[in-house]
Amino acid sequence: NYGEGVYGEKLYGGMGGSYYGAGAYGEGVFGQAAQFSGTDSDFWSFDYVRDTTQSQPWWVATNNVDSVLVFKGGSSTAWEPLLQTVGGISFRSKYLVEYKSHLVFLDTTEGGNRYPQRVRWSNTADPDNIDTGNASYVDLSGTDWISGAVKFRGDLLAVLKEDSIWIGWPTGDTDIFDFTRKVSGVGCEAPRTIKVIDGDVIFLGREDIYVFDGSLLQPLGVSPDTPQSSKVRR
């Protein structure tokens, strides 16, 4: 279907079965579903990161089920495991983001134990090394779980949890990063709604859609239960 016929050698440019595969959805770059064991509810988190030995960035992905994977490009058409262990034990992560030349993992599973408040980062410009160098981690306090992270306003990292918002920044010393809670009682349980627009973080909370600029949190006032006079707009 998607291999050597209309979607392979003809309509989509003559790549043939070697690229689009020979099965219903192929066995090449567009058909590696068998490589992944997650389900439709195990959403992927992606970002680019550059290894210190590479001239081109890598495309890294995680779904909290499979190993953290990397697509290196070039002549390769396959995803490869980027890292599978930390400290010699199995490693998985629900979210990842490149930040200040580090690959940052959030809500990790290490050795079969889940750490939903954990933020772990790689060695500088060394994304497959989370064991040595300045690789480290921090557990954000509280019982609410991390629901995502985005870079915003140049040097800041917003880490959203279910009932709080944290800010991370580079310390310039051996701690590498520091994190502080900026908002309590409001967070995000819908990670795919987290976006950065005009430098601000926008997300869906339990009561409203919110805008966070790094210090102030403002509701957009779209909740049907919010009186018109109390709505806050930017």
Side-chain angles (χ1 to χ4, degrees), residues 197-224:
I197 301 178
D198 293 334
D200 294 338
V201 181
I202 298 180
F203 63 93
L204 176 66
R206 291 193 185 102
E207 305 295 334
D208 214 319
I209 295 174
Y210 294 91
V211 179
F212 177 63
D213 66 4
S215 59
L216 297 177
L217 180 71
Q218 296 187 356
L220 290 181
V222 299
S223 171

Side-chain angles (χ1 to χ4, degrees), residues 53-69:
T53 63
Q54 304 297 315
S55 60
Q56 298 296 324
W58 291 347
W59 185 230
V60 185
T62 187
N63 67 350
N64 203 37
V65 176
D66 298 286
S67 301
V68 179
L69 298 166

Side-chain angles (χ1 to χ4, degrees), residues 34 86 103 231:
V86 53
L103 190 54
K231 292 181 180 179

Side-chain angles (χ1 to χ4, degrees), residues 91 105-108 110 115-120 137-140 146:
F91 178 80
F105 301 97
L106 307 103
D107 186 349
T108 66
E110 305 174 18
Y115 300 93
Q117 292 103 2
R118 180 158 295 181
V119 181
R120 180 181 286 279
Y137 73 90
V138 62
D139 290 323
L140 305 182
I146 293 173

